[in-house]
Amino acid sequence: MRGKFLFVGDEKLYIRGVTYGTFRPQPDGSEVPAADVVERDFALMAATGFNAVRTYTVPPLWLLDTARRHGLYVMIGIPVERYIGFIAERRKRGEPEIEDIVRTAVRATAAHPAVLCYAIGNEIPAPVARWFGARRVERYLRRLYRAAKAEAPDCLVTYVNYPSTEYLRLGFLDFLCFNVYLESQERLQAYLARLHNLAGERPVVMSELGLDSRRNGEHMQERTLDWQVRSVFASGCAGAFVYAWTDEWHRSGEDVEDWDFGLTRRDRTPKPALRTVQEALAEVPHAPTLPWPRVSVVVCTYNGSRTLRECLEGLVRLDYPNYEVIVVDDGSTDRAADIARGYPVVVIQTRNQGLALARNVGLKTATGEIVAYIDDDAYPDPHWLKYLAATFMSTTHCAVGGPNIVPPDDGPIAQCVARAPGGPVHVLVSDREAEHIPGCNMAFRKVCLSSIGGFDGQFRVAGDDVDVCWRLHTGLQPGRGRLAPPPKFGPRVLEAAAWLRAGRSDARAQVAREIQRPRTRSLGGPNLRTRAHRTA
């Protein structure tokens, strides 16, 4: 897990999942179909483009073996919601401890290579959560999380929540999972933005989405699943599970006959939605036929030779068809310019003028209609530019940006610096709009940034990003793009970080003074409203 996404080695894993079950129990107690049925189901899932299956109970090992043969990962549900009375911390004589149930499930399966993660419960009912109180439910789930981690420290553990109990504070989970059924694309996109903010720097996975074809018709199911799947991945989610593989469903001792959420019917014949979902999954996270605009990526560096190479390595590996990289060497006395010349980038050397003027040099040189800025001690997600550009193409916003995420291997000093006041972070005013966006991860339509004269040269160290957003507030509304995976903030020595933080504090005070003075620069351009985004 790196930032907002899951990886297998160095390859990003988008979870293209489908739910499976629950089914009528077998004589051995397992709640899965017969082995030959599972074999056929998993073969068709793989052929459709799925790479993950979500079960609601702990499957037998032979099912995991079958998943492995077909290249499917399994999200294993441990149905602790069936033991909801344990929240009261009372149990009947002879009943096992709830932690023992979790440990047993993890111990039996954790070594299997098909296991993706564990879900310690699914949708604790909202009335139960209100009755016992949020803090008590949170303590209950934390106990189960720790039990799973004690058995397999390297496994991923989550809990499947839903909107009625979104208020639960579950920051200890490895990633955020939500079941969401919204039949309006606009409302789903808005709620996805909210979920990303609730998740913070963790991945977001939609653990259930879908539509009942019995009540809405198979045509409407097909259309709805198409925009649901595409919206989820375009928003920066790490994955999604379509509910469900088949209309066959068993619940509370009875076969459910009046719900048809499946992509296949009870006899496993495909519905029209299966083909549509297959096409949507093949184009994750964005359709390859989009007319991607040219983007100019600007890196300003001053004696940044220690981290610049890692930054440029990330930039040359970006998955984007039409971009250039401009490195502005602001009078460095180290080997920064020599390092930059070793890459297919434009290198411009100037005397030392400060960060804001260096950014303006990059703006003047840029040939793209979008200008994206990244710091020399940061490296981007491979799809960084696609998320940025997709936001610009789907809106009239003229600025898009995001926060920075500390790489998990950066050590405690970097983690502390990143959490200290005054760092380069976004300031939200809503789920998808911000008061300003941070300079380490921001992009503008070139025409909009040029219309206000670019950055103010008096800001030599920091504060130029805040200033440019505040100046755009007059007639424009700055925001940060929820569709822009943030670059990860690279390492700094403690002394340099402290100097930078002091510099930013001085710069912000200067911004506050300057913003009160009359301005004569043009403030024309489209509304600066952006969709907030936090992926990594």
Side-chain angles (χ1 to χ4, degrees):
M1 193 171 70
R2 303 177 194 172
K4 300 289 286 185
F5 293 105
L6 304 180
F7 284 76
V8 177
D10 291 329
E11 184 177 353
K12 184 184 289 186
L13 175 68
Y14 282 109
I15 301 173
R16 302 169 171 91
V18 65
T19 67
Y20 199 57
T22 52
F23 299 102
R24 179 179 289 275
Q26 299 294 319
D28 63 0
S30 62
E31 299 179 37
V32 297
D36 60 328
V37 176
V38 172
E39 180 72 32
R40 291 193 297 271
D41 284 345
F42 283 12
L44 183 54
M45 288 178 191
T48 302
F50 290 108
N51 63 10
V53 180
R54 179 188 171 194
T55 66
Y56 293 84
T57 57
V58 182
L61 291 178
W62 64 259
L63 185 142
L64 296 178
D65 293 337
T66 304
R68 178 70 171 172
R69 283 199 307 274
H70 291 286
L72 299 172
Y73 291 99
V74 181
M75 176 180 179
I76 297 178
I78 305 175
V80 299
E81 66 276 2
R82 297 181 180 180
Y83 308 93
I84 202 69
F86 281 93
I87 295 180
E89 300 178 347
R90 294 189 299 270
R91 60 190 178 93
K92 297 178 181 178
R93 186 182 300 276
E95 284 186 340
E97 292 283 356
I98 188 64
E99 289 94 335
D100 291 339
I101 296 173
V102 173
R103 291 193 189 97
T104 299
V106 175
R107 187 183 309 124
T109 55
H112 202 286
V115 174
L116 173 67
C117 62
Y118 295 92
I120 49 171
N122 177 75
E123 293 188 3
I124 291 176
V128 174
R130 289 196 297 270
W131 175 263
F132 286 108
R135 303 293 86 80
R136 199 168 189 176
V137 175
E138 292 160 6
R139 289 196 301 269
Y140 172 75
L141 292 173
R142 186 186 291 271
R143 285 167 49 202
L144 304 186
Y145 173 85
R146 289 174 174 171
K149 286 290 190 177
E151 200 63 44
D154 294 331
C155 70
L156 295 177
V157 181
T158 186
Y159 163 75
V160 177
N161 207 346
Y162 69 129
S164 298
T165 56
E166 68 165 28
Y167 54 82
L168 293 175
R169 298 178 183 177
L170 305 175
F172 51 86
L173 298 174
D174 293 326
F175 61 95
L176 196 74
C177 269
F178 261 73
N179 298 336
V180 178
Y181 293 88
L182 288 172
E183 299 176 20
S184 160
Q185 185 173 11
E186 181 180 355
R187 291 179 180 178
L188 176 62
Q189 291 170 339
Y191 196 66
L192 288 169
R194 176 169 180 76
L195 291 182
H196 278 292
N197 289 320
L198 291 175
E201 298 181 357
R202 296 170 297 163
V204 175
V205 173
M206 299 301 291
S207 39
E208 283 182 13
L209 55 84
L211 191 71
D212 176 18
S213 66
R214 175 176 290 263
R215 290 166 177 79
N216 297 279
E218 293 185 355
H219 242 352
M220 181 59 72
Q221 182 194 41
E222 177 187 14
R223 291 173 52 192
T224 301
L225 277 171
D226 181 58
W227 61 255
Q228 283 181 340
V229 171
R230 294 180 187 275
S231 296
V232 165
F233 285 101
S235 78
C237 286
F241 289 87
V242 175
Y243 185 88
W245 175 248
T246 174
D247 289 340
E248 180 186 351
W249 192 38
H250 184 87
R251 183 78 171 174
S252 302
E254 298 289 341
D255 291 332
V256 179
E257 301 290 348
D258 62 345
W259 269 20
D260 293 340
F261 277 82
L263 296 174
T264 66
R265 303 176 183 90
R266 287 170 179 80
D267 62 1
R268 300 309 198 266
T269 55
K271 297 181 187 178
L274 183 63
R275 177 67 178 271
T276 298
V277 169
Q278 180 180 20
E279 293 172 353
L281 293 177
E283 298 182 347
V284 167
H286 301 103
T289 56
L290 288 176
W292 299 108
R294 182 165 176 79
V295 179
S296 298
V297 179
V298 178
V299 183
C300 300
T301 185
Y302 174 68
N303 291 339
S305 60
R306 190 173 67 87
T307 58
L308 181 61
R309 190 182 304 278
E310 186 177 21
C311 172
L312 295 178
E313 287 287 345
L315 290 175
V316 299
R317 290 196 297 266
L318 287 172
D319 180 13
Y320 195 79
N322 187 14
Y323 75 104
E324 64 177 347
V325 177
I326 301 168
V327 176
V328 181
D329 180 7
D330 186 36
S332 297
T333 58
D334 62 2
R335 297 184 59 254
D338 294 335
I339 292 173
R341 290 192 183 96
Y343 294 87
V345 304
V346 176
V347 180
I348 302 173
Q349 288 185 276
T350 67
R351 63 182 178 85
N352 182 249
Q353 304 176 87
L355 178 59
L357 290 181
R359 292 197 200 274
N360 285 340
V361 170
L363 173 65
K364 183 178 180 180
T365 308
T367 62
E369 59 183 280
I370 297 172
V371 183
Y373 291 92
I374 184 173
D375 284 357
D376 62 357
D377 62 349
Y379 60 91
D381 178 271
H383 297 101
W384 178 48
L385 292 185
K386 282 191 173 179
Y387 285 105
L388 280 171
T391 308
F392 282 115
M393 287 191 293
S394 61
T395 69
T396 59
H397 309 328
C398 62
V400 177
N404 59 85
I405 297 177
V406 180
D409 57 352
D410 243 12
I413 291 178
Q415 299 288 340
C416 291
V417 169
R419 288 162 173 75
V425 297
H426 54 281
V427 177
L428 287 176
V429 295
S430 73
D431 285 326
R432 294 190 287 184
E433 296 179 356
E435 187 268 347
H436 75 266
I437 52 180
C440 62
N441 179 18
M442 62 181 179
F444 301 87
R445 297 186 195 271
K446 184 178 180 180
V447 64
C448 296
L449 187 55
S450 298
S451 72
I452 62 166
F455 296 88
D456 192 330
Q458 66 180 309
F459 298 103
R460 295 183 55 86
V461 177
D464 56 319
D465 50 354
V466 181
D467 172 77
V468 80
C469 289
W470 285 7
R471 285 192 284 119
L472 287 169
H473 264 299
T474 305
L476 301 173
Q477 191 174 19
R480 69 180 184 95
R482 168 64 57 196
L483 298 183
K488 299 184 173 83
F489 195 53
R492 287 186 184 273
V493 296
L494 181 60
E495 293 78 13
W499 170 81
L500 174 65
R501 193 132 346 259
R504 289 190 67 86
S505 298
D506 293 342
R508 286 171 187 265
Q510 188 175 3
V511 168
R513 291 193 298 270
E514 290 296 322
I515 204 70
Q516 300 176 29
R517 300 178 183 176
R519 295 283 178 180
T520 59
R521 291 175 178 161
S522 169
L523 291 171
N527 287 338
L528 186 61
R529 292 186 309 159
T530 73
R531 300 169 57 191
H533 188 72
R534 294 181 60 109
T535 62

